[in-house]
Amino acid sequence: MNPPLLEIDALSIAYHTDHGKLSALRGASLIARAGEVIGIVGESGCGKSTLAASVINLLPHAAQVTSGAVRYKGQDILTLPPEAQRALRGQDIAMIFQDPMTAFNPVLTMGAQLVDFQHAAQIPRAEKLNRARALLTRVGMPDPDLTLRRYPHQLSGGMRQRVAIAAALLMNPTILVADEPTTALDVTMEAQIIHLLRDLRREYQGAILVITHHLGVVAELCDRVYVMYAGEVVEEALVDDLFHAPRHPYTSGLIACDPGHFEQAAPILPTIPGRLPDLRNPPIGCSFAPRCPLAETICATPPPRVQISPTQSALCHKAGGQP
Amino acid sequence: MTLLTVQNLALDLPLRGGILSALNPKSRRSLQIFADVSFTLNPGETLGLVGESGSGKTTLARALLGLTPATHGTIHFDQTARRTPADFTAMRAHTAMMFQDAIASLSPRMTIGALLAEPLTIHGHPAPKTKIAEMLALVGLPPDFTTRYPHELSGGQARRVGVARALVLNPKLVIADEPTAGLDVSVQGEILNLMTDLKTRLNLSYLIISHNLAMVRHVSDRIAVMYLGRLVEIGPTRQTFAHPLHPYSQSLIASEPLPDPRKRRQDLAIKGEIPSLLNRPKACVFQSRCPLVQAICRTDPPTLREISPHRFARCHFATPPTGALS
Ligand SMILES: Nc1ncnc2c1ncn2[C@@H]1O[C@H](COP(=O)(O)OP(=O)(O)OP(=O)(O)O)[C@@H](O)[C@H]1O
Ligand SMILES: Nc1ncnc2c1ncn2[C@@H]1O[C@H](COP(=O)(O)OP(=O)(O)OP(=O)(O)O)[C@@H](O)[C@H]1O
Ligand code: SF4
Ligand code: SF4
Ligand SMILES: [Mg+2]
Ligand SMILES: [Mg+2]
């Protein structure tokens, strides 16, 4: 097996807010090897974007890494000097942000920004524009030339998202972190982007981390999946096991809620009743217990990480039993 | 009686500067974003609007509320024609828009409490703290969120604030642009159940724009499909999903990724060059990608015609579906 390109090791991150310290990540670990597409799924607010921001070292000021490490090719990137971090971000690690509107400067044309993103490359401006044009075509943008002259607000939501994908690919990153890369796209365009990401994985031998709420995208694209809940990784599995033999009750609940599963229109969609715990005071025991259909008294104590197979583990007192 | 009637709506936007105007100096060219859009919406009805990215859905939504004025056509809301800015201001007291970019559409310097109070004060209503707390509870957020700022929220939390903000004025019509994008499936279900519940309680109408076909299928009474600035199909949801009439709707529905890795697909559902607004194909807009294209499709523009009862498609060759579900 390939050695990991990226290793997130027991990472804990807290946000300082007016209302106290919020533990957004609590000992999250993840590994990505060359050639892998990793999926990250989980409830809104469970810390996926925080995890992604740590990989490119763009955490907001209010965030503090309280323990753990993020290693790229064996080197801890959180402790690198800012210069070295910026160099990594430009060339090795790239991110497609969740909110494409916020990724662009509203007063510059897309062309100017796509050229700027290549500031590290020692090639003439015309060549940078050509590369931008070629990538815009590849992500399915009609009229790349017109796009280069436009401002962000003149593009539709899905167009901005495709330009954001093109921007992230400009530097041939080794690690691509994509936070909801296809939510603003119609499904035919989404299919095209999925194929593009599959091809890239093959061409670059890099790793792709995809954060998404769309389980269909996970099923189509990912090799392995990490399921997060309240700042922790609660399950890790190969994509087939995730859908066909999930072992954490939250994973099962998540899959059961997906409207993509039902043939008939349901007047009331299923949900997982209850909410995420207050992350300013995370519970000592299992954080899913108040919502878990299988909860027992033992669940008030910290659950173990049960290794089900070399590729699957679940953070649950009851994951050891038969599925 | 319908709540909203839209007839032959079209919208052009100016195309300024750049090489194009230099090549073509005699006219200040404008770009047709959409044209020939007609549909109705009844009280208590949900219409799902789906379609190609960039086909004009958001722009259409903005035109319906007068935020970007339409170039041609008519809009009737509550039996009254809406033409002037004053007409639309009056209309907006009874309508609400949930924007596509959840976080970007919330002003970063205002607290969540202030953001929820704003629509009330703009329209001259009081905004007591109890009302704000009630709206937060309605969308499942704790009361202490009133003092938070948008950047402190996760994407999903920001979306819930957007729902609360849309509903605070008790509107008759809510236009929701991607209301569940960025939400996990459980919260998505919660928000849609909430919207459905409010719809029956308040006799709300919704126009829901989304790329999430599974979601649209569950919440919409009818669906409309847009491609490159034209409505290409409109009809009852169940029949449309079971037997889409227009070739674009057919490929759209066939491309949906299924939540099962054993059903991965290797092919792209639509082939052919993606056309653009700058060189919109003459006659049928789908001709460059349509597997059924014929000579007539390049010469005669198809109209949106009734193919079977209540089902309309803009295609020369659309035929009524055969079989039980038709
Ligand atoms: N800048 C910030 N200041 C304070 N709290 C924050 C900040 N950013 C995020 N949080 C909080 O940290 C938690 C994790 O947020 P994060 O954005 O990582 O979640 P997420 O899993 O990406 O959610 P979503 O699926 O909704 O995008 C949430 O409770 C959120 O409210
Ligand atoms: N302010 C503007 N100036 C110029 N062109 C614009 C402007 N706003 C939108 N457009 C163009 O209008 C077309 C339709 O955009 P719109 O945002 O309505 O699409 P959409 O159907 O909502 O797409 P998506 O599904 O990606 O959100 C696009 O080609 C876009 O570039
Ligand atoms: S540890 Fe207990 S409460 Fe937590 S997921 Fe497992 S069974 Fe449910
Ligand atoms: S009119 Fe012709 S090109 Fe257009 S959708 Fe129908 S068959 Fe295809
Ligand atoms: Mg996020
Ligand atoms: Mg849009």
Side-chain angles (χ1 to χ4, degrees):
Chain A
M1 218 177 263
N2 298 330
L5 263 184
L6 178 75
E7 195 179 0
I8 297 175
D9 189 4
L11 188 65
S12 296
I13 291 178
Y15 287 104
H16 293 281
T17 72
D18 296 347
H19 312 274
K21 205 166 125 180
L22 187 150
S23 307
L25 280 188
R26 299 185 291 138
S29 296
L30 172 156
I31 279 177
R33 297 186 186 82
E36 273 192 318
V37 181
I38 304 289
I40 303 174
V41 301
E43 182 139 333
S44 301
C46 72
K48 302 179 299 296
S49 296
T50 305
L51 187 83
S54 77
V55 173
I56 55 155
N57 228 320
L58 278 184
L59 287 164
H61 285 300
Q64 184 201 348
V65 176
T66 51
S67 63
V70 178
R71 283 186 281 272
Y72 171 65
K73 296 184 175 166
Q75 183 182 34
D76 187 352
I77 60 174
L78 296 180
T79 55
L80 284 179
E83 276 304 296
Q85 285 184 8
R86 218 164 309 134
L88 266 187
R89 195 151 63 225
Q91 283 158 31
D92 295 58
I93 305 177
M95 168 112 184
I96 302 166
F97 288 93
Q98 183 166 10
D99 212 335
M101 196 59 183
T102 57
F104 294 113
N105 183 332
V107 301
L108 292 179
T109 62
M110 302 311 325
Q113 301 192 52
L114 291 175
V115 166
D116 269 3
F117 290 141
Q118 304 174 65
H119 58 84
Q122 308 295 326
I123 50 173
R125 184 187 154 84
E127 200 169 314
K128 291 180 180 173
L129 268 175
N130 279 338
R131 295 197 45 185
R133 201 174 286 120
L135 272 165
L136 288 177
T137 309
R138 218 167 154 193
V139 296
M141 284 296 283
D143 287 325
D145 283 305
L146 179 63
T147 306
L148 289 172
R149 288 197 307 277
R150 293 197 135 181
Y151 293 92
H153 76 274
Q154 294 178 317
L155 299 176
S156 81
M159 291 172 165
R160 282 197 291 269
Q161 193 160 43
R162 276 172 278 165
V163 179
I165 295 172
L169 297 176
L170 274 174
M171 298 308 291
N172 287 343
T174 312
I175 294 181
L176 178 67
V177 185
D179 198 352
E180 297 282 3
T182 62
T183 30
L185 301 180
D186 62 84
V187 292
T188 58
M189 197 55 72
E190 180 172 63
Q192 185 172 340
I193 296 296
I194 288 174
H195 283 261
L196 171 68
L197 292 177
R198 278 193 203 155
D199 287 350
L200 286 174
R201 169 185 55 172
R202 233 170 291 138
E203 287 169 27
Y204 295 143
Q205 277 302 300
I208 303 178
L209 263 57
V210 184
I211 298 172
T212 181
H213 290 301
H214 194 337
L215 297 177
V217 171
V218 174
E220 280 279 347
L221 181 62
C222 298
D223 303 310
R224 286 192 305 120
V225 186
Y226 291 83
V227 183
M228 293 183 61
Y229 187 80
E232 296 175 303
V233 170
V234 295
E235 179 156 8
E236 173 191 348
L238 296 178
V239 69
D240 195 74
D241 292 331
L242 186 94
F243 284 92
H244 294 286
R247 295 299 281 271
H248 194 283
Y250 173 66
T251 313
S252 314
L254 191 69
I255 291 171
C257 287
D258 186 357
H261 275 299
F262 321 132
E263 287 289 318
Q264 296 299 318
I268 305 282
L269 293 165
T271 60
I272 305 173
R275 325 226 144 276
L276 282 178
D278 184 348
L279 294 172
R280 285 168 299 178
N281 277 309
I284 297 157
C286 173
S287 45
F288 190 55
R291 307 170 73 178
C292 179
L294 306 181
E296 289 176 7
T297 33
I298 190 177
C299 302
T301 62
R305 189 166 301 279
V306 178
Q307 199 70 42
I308 288 134
S309 74
T311 53
Q312 189 170 18
S313 70
L315 188 68
C316 170
H317 283 292
K318 303 183 74 176
Q322 284 309 300
Chain B
M1 264 201 292
T2 63
L3 178 67
L4 180 71
T5 305
V6 178
Q7 278 167 317
N8 296 322
L9 208 66
L11 191 148
D12 299 347
L13 286 175
L15 187 70
R16 277 190 222 96
I19 298 167
L20 279 158
S21 53
L23 289 177
N24 191 2
K26 47 184 175 192
S27 63
R28 264 192 65 209
R29 279 186 42 183
S30 65
L31 202 57
Q32 184 192 77
I33 306 295
F34 62 78
D36 200 10
V37 172
S38 305
F39 68 92
T40 59
L41 187 62
N42 292 318
E45 190 183 32
T46 300
L47 178 66
L49 179 59
V50 302
E52 208 207 0
S53 166
S55 60
K57 303 180 296 299
T58 299
T59 313
L60 172 62
R62 294 180 58 86
L64 295 178
L65 297 180
L67 299 171
T68 307
T71 318
H72 307 282
T74 57
I75 298 169
H76 285 76
F77 178 77
D78 245 357
Q79 320 305 317
T80 312
R82 310 284 168 161
R83 288 189 197 92
T84 64
D87 293 343
F88 283 110
T89 307
M91 174 176 168
R92 283 200 292 272
H94 303 283
T95 58
M97 172 107 186
M98 287 164 61
F99 289 96
Q100 189 167 9
D101 272 293
I103 296 177
S105 68
L106 299 175
S107 162
R109 283 187 192 79
M110 287 169 79
T111 61
I112 304 308
L115 282 163
L116 291 181
E118 191 187 47
L120 290 167
T121 47
I122 284 180
H123 290 278
H125 302 292
K129 282 209 167 69
T130 48
K131 176 76 181 174
I132 306 303
E134 186 193 314
M135 293 313 296
L136 283 173
L138 193 67
V139 296
L141 294 174
D144 68 278
F145 265 58
T146 44
T147 58
R148 290 227 204 167
Y149 288 91
H151 72 270
E152 295 178 338
L153 307 186
S154 77
Q157 290 163 339
R159 189 66 65 173
R160 294 194 209 194
V161 172
V163 177
R165 211 167 117 90
L167 296 179
V168 72
L169 284 172
N170 294 331
K172 289 182 186 172
L173 167 67
V174 175
I175 299 184
D177 200 354
E178 296 287 356
T180 62
L183 298 185
D184 65 81
V185 284
S186 169
V187 177
Q188 170 184 309
E190 243 170 70
I191 294 218
L192 294 172
N193 290 345
L194 169 75
M195 289 172 67
T196 307
D197 175 47
L198 291 163
K199 165 175 145 174
T200 39
R201 284 201 341 229
L202 309 172
N203 205 31
L204 277 178
S205 301
Y206 288 114
L207 175 65
I208 297 186
I209 301 174
S210 183
H211 292 305
N212 183 338
L213 297 183
M215 182 273 265
V216 167
R217 195 153 66 105
H218 287 286
V219 300
S220 308
D221 302 305
R222 284 186 301 143
I223 76 158
V225 184
M226 203 151 168
Y227 183 83
L228 206 65
R230 300 285 184 278
L231 281 185
V232 296
E233 177 157 4
I234 185 164
T237 305
R238 192 173 55 91
Q239 288 97 311
T240 307
F241 273 94
H243 295 286
L245 299 176
H246 192 279
Y248 174 67
S249 322
Q250 288 162 2
S251 38
L252 189 71
I253 288 165
S255 317
E256 199 184 11
L258 299 170
D260 185 347
R262 294 178 189 173
K263 294 181 184 155
R264 278 192 188 182
R265 280 172 308 235
Q266 295 309 323
D267 57 321
L268 275 167
I270 301 193
K271 302 222 161 47
E273 195 186 332
I274 303 170
S276 76
L277 296 179
L278 277 185
N279 40 41
R280 188 191 300 278
K282 301 274 175 306
C284 178
V285 287
F286 193 52
Q287 60 178 271
S288 63
R289 305 172 83 185
C290 183
L292 307 178
V293 60
Q294 304 284 322
I296 185 180
C297 309
R298 299 201 173 90
T299 52
D300 297 12
T303 54
L304 191 68
R305 56 194 178 94
E306 192 161 17
I307 309 293
S308 66
H310 310 295
R311 300 195 57 189
F312 299 80
R314 190 185 296 274
C315 169
H316 290 303
F317 301 105
T319 51
T322 49
L325 266 166
S326 66

